Coordinates of all heavy atoms in Angstrom, one line a residue:
Chain B
I377 N 52.4 -19.8 -11.0 CA 53.8 -19.4 -10.7 C 54.5 -19.0 -12.0 O 55.2 -18.0 -12.1 CB 54.5 -20.6 -10.0 CG1 54.0 -20.7 -8.5 CG2 56.0 -20.3 -10.0 CD1 54.5 -21.9 -7.8
M378 N 54.3 -19.9 -13.0 CA 55.0 -19.6 -14.3 C 54.6 -18.2 -14.8 O 55.5 -17.5 -15.3 CB 54.4 -20.7 -15.3 CG 55.2 -21.0 -16.4 SD 56.5 -22.2 -16.0 CE 55.6 -23.7 -15.9
R379 N 53.4 -17.9 -14.7 CA 52.9 -16.5 -15.2 C 53.5 -15.4 -14.4 O 54.0 -14.4 -14.9 CB 51.4 -16.5 -15.2 CG 50.8 -15.5 -16.2 CD 49.3 -15.7 -16.4 NE 48.6 -15.6 -15.2 CZ 48.0 -16.6 -14.6 NH1 48.0 -17.8 -15.1 NH2 47.3 -16.5 -13.4
E380 N 53.6 -15.6 -13.1 CA 54.2 -14.6 -12.2 C 55.7 -14.4 -12.6 O 56.1 -13.3 -12.7 CB 54.1 -15.0 -10.7 CG 52.7 -15.0 -10.2 CD 52.2 -13.6 -9.8 OE1 53.0 -12.7 -9.8 OE2 51.0 -13.5 -9.5
V381 N 56.4 -15.5 -12.8 CA 57.8 -15.4 -13.1 C 58.0 -14.8 -14.5 O 58.8 -13.9 -14.6 CB 58.5 -16.8 -13.1 CG1 59.9 -16.7 -13.5 CG2 58.3 -17.5 -11.7
A382 N 57.2 -15.2 -15.5 CA 57.3 -14.6 -16.8 C 57.0 -13.1 -16.8 O 57.7 -12.3 -17.4 CB 56.4 -15.3 -17.8
E383 N 56.0 -12.7 -16.0 CA 55.7 -11.2 -16.0 C 56.7 -10.4 -15.3 O 57.0 -9.3 -15.6 CB 54.3 -11.0 -15.3 CG 53.2 -11.5 -16.2 CD 51.8 -11.2 -15.6 OE1 51.7 -10.5 -14.6 OE2 50.8 -11.6 -16.3
A384 N 57.3 -11.0 -14.2 CA 58.4 -10.3 -13.5 C 59.7 -10.4 -14.2 O 60.7 -9.8 -13.8 CB 58.5 -10.9 -12.1
T385 N 59.8 -11.1 -15.3 CA 61.0 -11.2 -16.1 C 60.9 -10.4 -17.4 O 61.9 -9.7 -17.8 CB 61.3 -12.6 -16.5 OG1 61.3 -13.4 -15.3 CG2 62.6 -12.8 -17.3
G386 N 59.8 -10.4 -18.1 CA 59.6 -9.8 -19.5 C 59.4 -8.3 -19.5 O 60.1 -7.6 -18.8
V387 N 58.5 -7.9 -20.3 CA 58.3 -6.4 -20.6 C 58.0 -5.7 -19.3 O 58.6 -4.6 -19.0 CB 57.2 -6.2 -21.6 CG1 56.9 -4.7 -21.7 CG2 57.5 -6.8 -22.9
T388 N 57.2 -6.2 -18.4 CA 56.8 -5.6 -17.2 C 57.7 -5.9 -16.0 O 57.5 -5.5 -14.9 CB 55.3 -5.9 -16.8 OG1 55.3 -7.4 -16.8 CG2 54.3 -5.4 -17.7
G389 N 58.8 -6.6 -16.3 CA 59.7 -7.0 -15.3 C 61.2 -6.6 -15.6 O 61.4 -5.5 -16.0
M390 N 62.1 -7.5 -15.3 CA 63.5 -7.1 -15.4 C 64.0 -6.6 -16.7 O 64.8 -5.7 -16.8 CB 64.4 -8.3 -14.9 CG 64.2 -8.6 -13.4 SD 65.3 -9.9 -12.9 CE 64.8 -11.3 -13.8
V391 N 63.5 -7.3 -17.8 CA 63.9 -6.9 -19.1 C 63.4 -5.5 -19.5 O 64.2 -4.6 -19.9 CB 63.4 -7.9 -20.2 CG1 63.9 -7.5 -21.6 CG2 64.0 -9.3 -19.9
G392 N 62.1 -5.2 -19.2 CA 61.6 -3.9 -19.4 C 62.3 -2.9 -18.5 O 62.5 -1.7 -19.0
G393 N 62.6 -3.2 -17.3 CA 63.3 -2.3 -16.4 C 64.7 -2.0 -16.9 O 65.1 -0.8 -16.8
Q394 N 65.4 -3.0 -17.4 CA 66.7 -2.7 -18.0 C 66.6 -1.8 -19.2 O 67.4 -0.9 -19.4 CB 67.4 -4.0 -18.4 CG 68.7 -3.9 -19.0 CD 69.8 -3.4 -18.1 OE1 69.6 -3.1 -16.9 NE2 71.0 -3.1 -18.7
S395 N 65.5 -1.9 -20.0 CA 65.3 -1.1 -21.1 C 65.1 0.4 -20.6 O 65.7 1.3 -21.1 CB 64.1 -1.5 -22.0 OG 63.7 -0.6 -22.9
L396 N 64.3 0.6 -19.6 CA 64.0 1.9 -19.1 C 65.3 2.5 -18.5 O 65.6 3.7 -18.7 CB 63.0 1.8 -17.9 CG 61.6 1.5 -18.3 CD1 60.7 1.4 -17.1 CD2 61.0 2.4 -19.3
D397 N 66.1 1.6 -17.9 CA 67.4 2.1 -17.3 C 68.3 2.6 -18.4 O 68.8 3.7 -18.3 CB 68.0 0.9 -16.6 CG 69.2 1.2 -15.7 OD1 69.5 2.4 -15.7 OD2 69.6 0.4 -14.9
L398 N 68.4 1.9 -19.5 CA 69.3 2.3 -20.6 C 68.8 3.6 -21.2 O 69.7 4.5 -21.5 CB 69.4 1.2 -21.6 CG 70.2 -0.1 -21.2 CD1 70.1 -1.1 -22.3 CD2 71.6 0.2 -20.8
I399 N 67.5 3.7 -21.5 CA 67.1 4.9 -22.2 C 67.0 6.1 -21.2 O 66.8 7.3 -21.7 CB 65.7 4.7 -22.9 CG1 64.6 4.4 -21.9 CG2 65.8 3.6 -23.9 CD1 63.2 4.2 -22.6
S400 N 67.2 5.9 -19.9 CA 67.2 7.0 -19.0 C 68.5 7.7 -18.8 O 68.6 8.7 -18.1 CB 66.6 6.6 -17.6 OG 65.3 6.0 -17.8
E401 N 69.6 7.0 -19.3 CA 70.9 7.5 -19.0 C 71.1 8.9 -19.6 O 70.7 9.2 -20.7 CB 72.0 6.5 -19.7 CG 72.3 5.3 -18.8 CD 73.3 4.4 -19.5 OE1 74.0 4.8 -20.5 OE2 73.4 3.2 -19.0
N402 N 71.8 9.7 -18.8 CA 72.1 11.1 -19.2 C 70.9 11.9 -19.6 O 70.9 12.8 -20.5 CB 73.1 11.1 -20.4 CG 74.4 10.5 -19.9 OD1 74.9 10.9 -18.9 ND2 74.9 9.5 -20.7
K403 N 69.8 11.6 -19.0 CA 68.6 12.4 -19.2 C 68.1 13.0 -17.9 O 68.4 12.4 -16.8 CB 67.5 11.6 -19.8 CG 67.8 11.2 -21.2 CD 66.5 10.9 -22.1 CE 66.9 10.4 -23.5 NZ 66.5 9.1 -23.7
P404 N 67.3 14.1 -17.8 CA 66.8 14.5 -16.6 C 66.0 13.4 -15.9 O 65.2 12.7 -16.6 CB 65.9 15.7 -17.0 CG 66.3 16.1 -18.4 CD 66.8 14.8 -19.0
I405 N 66.1 13.3 -14.6 CA 65.5 12.2 -13.9 C 64.0 12.6 -13.5 O 63.8 13.6 -12.9 CB 66.2 11.8 -12.6 CG1 67.7 11.4 -13.0 CG2 65.5 10.6 -11.9 CD1 68.6 11.2 -11.8
V406 N 63.1 11.8 -13.9 CA 61.7 12.1 -13.6 C 61.3 11.0 -12.6 O 61.5 9.8 -12.7 CB 60.8 11.9 -14.9 CG1 59.4 12.2 -14.6 CG2 61.3 12.8 -16.0
E407 N 60.7 11.5 -11.5 CA 60.4 10.6 -10.3 C 59.6 9.4 -10.7 O 59.9 8.3 -10.3 CB 59.8 11.4 -9.2 CG 59.8 10.7 -7.9 CD 59.1 11.5 -6.7 OE1 58.8 12.7 -7.0 OE2 58.9 10.9 -5.7
D408 N 58.5 9.7 -11.4 CA 57.6 8.6 -11.8 C 58.3 7.5 -12.6 O 58.0 6.3 -12.4 CB 56.5 9.1 -12.7 CG 55.4 9.8 -11.9 OD1 55.6 10.0 -10.7 OD2 54.4 10.3 -12.6
R409 N 59.1 7.9 -13.5 CA 59.8 6.9 -14.3 C 60.9 6.1 -13.5 O 61.1 5.0 -13.7 CB 60.5 7.6 -15.5 CG 59.7 7.9 -16.7 CD 60.5 8.4 -17.8 NE 61.1 7.4 -18.6 CZ 60.4 6.7 -19.6 NH1 59.1 6.9 -19.8 NH2 61.1 5.8 -20.3
L410 N 61.5 6.8 -12.6 CA 62.5 6.2 -11.7 C 61.8 5.1 -10.9 O 62.3 4.0 -10.8 CB 63.1 7.2 -10.8 CG 64.3 6.8 -9.9 CD1 65.4 6.1 -10.7 CD2 64.8 7.9 -9.1
Y411 N 60.6 5.4 -10.4 CA 59.9 4.5 -9.6 C 59.5 3.3 -10.4 O 59.6 2.1 -10.0 CB 58.6 5.2 -9.0 CG 57.7 4.3 -8.2 CD1 58.0 3.9 -6.9 CD2 56.6 3.7 -8.8 CE1 57.2 3.1 -6.2 CE2 55.8 2.8 -8.1 CZ 56.1 2.5 -6.8 OH 55.3 1.7 -6.1
L412 N 59.0 3.5 -11.6 CA 58.6 2.5 -12.6 C 59.8 1.6 -12.9 O 59.7 0.3 -12.9 CB 58.0 3.0 -13.8 CG 57.6 2.0 -14.9 CD1 56.5 1.1 -14.4 CD2 57.2 2.7 -16.2
M413 N 60.9 2.2 -13.1 CA 62.1 1.5 -13.4 C 62.5 0.5 -12.3 O 62.8 -0.7 -12.5 CB 63.3 2.4 -13.7 CG 64.5 1.8 -14.2 SD 65.8 3.1 -14.5 CE 66.7 3.0 -13.0
H414 N 62.5 1.0 -11.0 CA 62.8 0.2 -9.9 C 61.8 -0.9 -9.7 O 62.1 -2.1 -9.3 CB 62.9 1.0 -8.6 CG 64.2 1.8 -8.5 ND1 64.7 2.2 -7.3 CD2 65.1 2.2 -9.4 CE1 65.8 2.9 -7.5 NE2 66.1 2.8 -8.8
L415 N 60.5 -0.6 -10.0 CA 59.5 -1.6 -9.9 C 59.8 -2.8 -10.8 O 59.7 -3.9 -10.5 CB 58.2 -0.9 -10.2 CG 56.9 -1.5 -9.8 CD1 56.8 -1.6 -8.2 CD2 55.7 -0.7 -10.3
C416 N 60.0 -2.4 -12.1 CA 60.3 -3.4 -13.1 C 61.6 -4.1 -12.9 O 61.6 -5.4 -13.0 CB 60.3 -2.8 -14.5 SG 58.7 -2.1 -15.0
K417 N 62.6 -3.4 -12.7 CA 64.0 -3.9 -12.7 C 64.2 -4.8 -11.4 O 65.0 -5.8 -11.5 CB 65.0 -2.8 -12.6 CG 66.3 -3.0 -13.3 CD 67.1 -1.8 -13.3 CE 68.6 -2.2 -13.0 NZ 69.4 -2.4 -14.3
T418 N 63.6 -4.5 -10.3 CA 63.9 -5.2 -9.1 C 62.7 -5.7 -8.3 O 62.6 -6.8 -7.9 CB 64.8 -4.3 -8.2 OG1 65.8 -3.7 -8.9 CG2 65.4 -5.0 -7.0
A419 N 61.8 -4.7 -8.0 CA 60.8 -5.0 -7.0 C 59.8 -6.1 -7.4 O 59.5 -7.0 -6.6 CB 60.0 -3.7 -6.7
R420 N 59.4 -6.1 -8.7 CA 58.4 -7.1 -9.1 C 59.0 -8.5 -9.1 O 58.3 -9.5 -8.8 CB 57.9 -6.8 -10.5 CG 56.9 -5.7 -10.5 CD 56.2 -5.6 -11.9 NE 55.2 -4.6 -11.9 CZ 55.1 -3.6 -12.8 NH1 55.8 -3.7 -13.9 NH2 54.1 -2.7 -12.7
F421 N 60.3 -8.6 -9.3 CA 60.9 -10.0 -9.3 C 61.1 -10.5 -7.9 O 61.0 -11.6 -7.6 CB 62.2 -10.0 -10.1 CG 62.6 -11.4 -10.5 CD1 62.0 -12.1 -11.5 CD2 63.6 -12.1 -9.8 CE1 62.3 -13.4 -11.8 CE2 63.9 -13.4 -10.1 CZ 63.3 -14.0 -11.2
I422 N 61.5 -9.5 -7.0 CA 61.6 -9.9 -5.5 C 60.2 -10.3 -5.0 O 60.0 -11.3 -4.3 CB 62.1 -8.7 -4.7 CG1 63.6 -8.3 -5.1 CG2 62.0 -9.0 -3.2 CD1 64.6 -9.1 -4.4
A423 N 59.2 -9.5 -5.4 CA 57.8 -9.9 -5.0 C 57.4 -11.2 -5.6 O 56.7 -12.0 -5.0 CB 56.8 -8.8 -5.5
C424 N 57.8 -11.5 -6.8 CA 57.5 -12.7 -7.5 C 58.1 -13.9 -6.6 O 57.4 -15.0 -6.6 CB 58.1 -12.7 -8.9 SG 58.2 -14.3 -9.7
S425 N 59.2 -13.7 -6.0 CA 59.8 -14.7 -5.2 C 58.9 -15.1 -4.0 O 58.6 -16.2 -3.7 CB 61.2 -14.3 -4.6 OG 61.9 -13.8 -5.7
T426 N 58.4 -14.0 -3.3 CA 57.5 -14.3 -2.1 C 56.2 -14.8 -2.6 O 55.6 -15.7 -1.9 CB 57.4 -13.1 -1.2 OG1 57.1 -11.9 -2.0 CG2 58.7 -12.8 -0.4
V427 N 55.7 -14.3 -3.7 CA 54.4 -14.8 -4.2 C 54.5 -16.2 -4.6 O 53.6 -17.0 -4.3 CB 53.9 -13.9 -5.4 CG1 52.8 -14.6 -6.2 CG2 53.5 -12.5 -4.9
T428 N 55.6 -16.6 -5.2 CA 55.8 -18.0 -5.6 C 55.8 -18.9 -4.4 O 55.1 -20.0 -4.4 CB 57.2 -18.1 -6.4 OG1 57.1 -17.4 -7.6 CG2 57.6 -19.5 -6.6
G429 N 56.5 -18.5 -3.4 CA 56.5 -19.3 -2.1 C 55.1 -19.5 -1.6 O 54.7 -20.6 -1.1
A430 N 54.3 -18.4 -1.6 CA 52.9 -18.4 -1.1 C 52.1 -19.3 -1.9 O 51.3 -20.2 -1.4 CB 52.3 -17.0 -1.0
I431 N 52.2 -19.2 -3.2 CA 51.4 -20.1 -4.1 C 51.8 -21.6 -3.9 O 50.9 -22.5 -3.9 CB 51.6 -19.7 -5.6 CG1 51.1 -18.3 -5.9 CG2 50.8 -20.7 -6.5 CD1 51.4 -17.8 -7.3

Side-chain angles (χ1 to χ4, degrees):
Chain B
I377 289 172
M378 203 84 74
R379 205 166 56 250
E380 292 280 351
V381 177
E383 288 187 5
T385 304
V387 175
T388 51
M390 292 187 296
V391 178
Q394 176 68 4
S395 168
L396 293 178
D397 196 350
L398 291 175
I399 62 179
S400 306
E401 278 180 14
N402 296 312
K403 292 207 182 115
I405 303 171
V406 182
E407 195 180 350
D408 282 4
R409 276 185 86 80
L410 183 58
Y411 178 80
L412 177 64
M413 188 178 98
H414 281 203
L415 201 61
C416 294
K417 211 178 140 92
T418 313
R420 281 191 181 135
F421 200 74
I422 295 273
C424 165
S425 310
T426 46
V427 165
T428 291
I431 298 172

